[in-house]
Amino acid sequence: MKDDIILTNGEFIINHEAKVWLGQICRAIKDAVGDHPKMRVYPYRKDRCNYLALDFDERHTDTSGQPPKWFSLTIAIAPHEKMKLDCPEVGCKDLVPTIRDSFDAITIVAHLASSLRANVSFNIPLPRVAP
């Protein structure tokens, strides 16, 4: 994928490779956790890089003693790095794509939430208040 690619025009994913990639990601998430998953979104920084983490869980917990079903997508937002939209392999449970800006990251989140009809929550740590 080219380095200078723009994924969105402000409303829609406009890059064909990105559309194909998002379709593959949606299928991988559905395969891992089922339809209409819980989706937790949270930003963080590490080593001077911004990330937008998306954790997907099965909407209804399994009471039969089976291990929980999950999928994790952590978007690295790196303006000066090469874009990387790896396709998930069969059985993939986590992926770390690299994109150029936060606008594209938020558009990807919105597309996934809408396509999966996910129940979205935001896990943003609040600052501690001294007693």
Side-chain angles (χ1 to χ4, degrees), residues 75-117:
I75 302 170
I77 304 165
H80 305 291
E81 298 293 322
K82 184 176 181 175
M83 283 194 60
K84 184 179 84 171
L85 297 178
D86 291 336
C87 294
E89 295 180 17
V90 174
C92 173
K93 290 287 204 170
D94 58 46
L95 218 60
V96 184
T98 301
I99 63 169
R100 302 303 286 280
D101 64 40
S102 58
F103 191 85
D104 283 349
I106 292 168
T107 303
I108 288 169
V109 170
H111 178 83
L112 290 173
S114 176
S115 295
L116 296 166
R117 294 181 37 205

Side-chain angles (χ1 to χ4, degrees), residues 26 29-31 33-39 56-61 112-120:
C26 284
I29 293 167
K30 283 183 177 184
D31 288 348
V33 299
D35 291 331
H36 318 301
K38 291 187 280 184
M39 175 181 174
F56 297 89
D57 298 304
E58 196 171 19
R59 179 164 288 202
H60 302 289
T61 55
L112 290 173
S114 176
S115 295
L116 296 166
R117 294 181 37 205
N119 178 11
V120 181

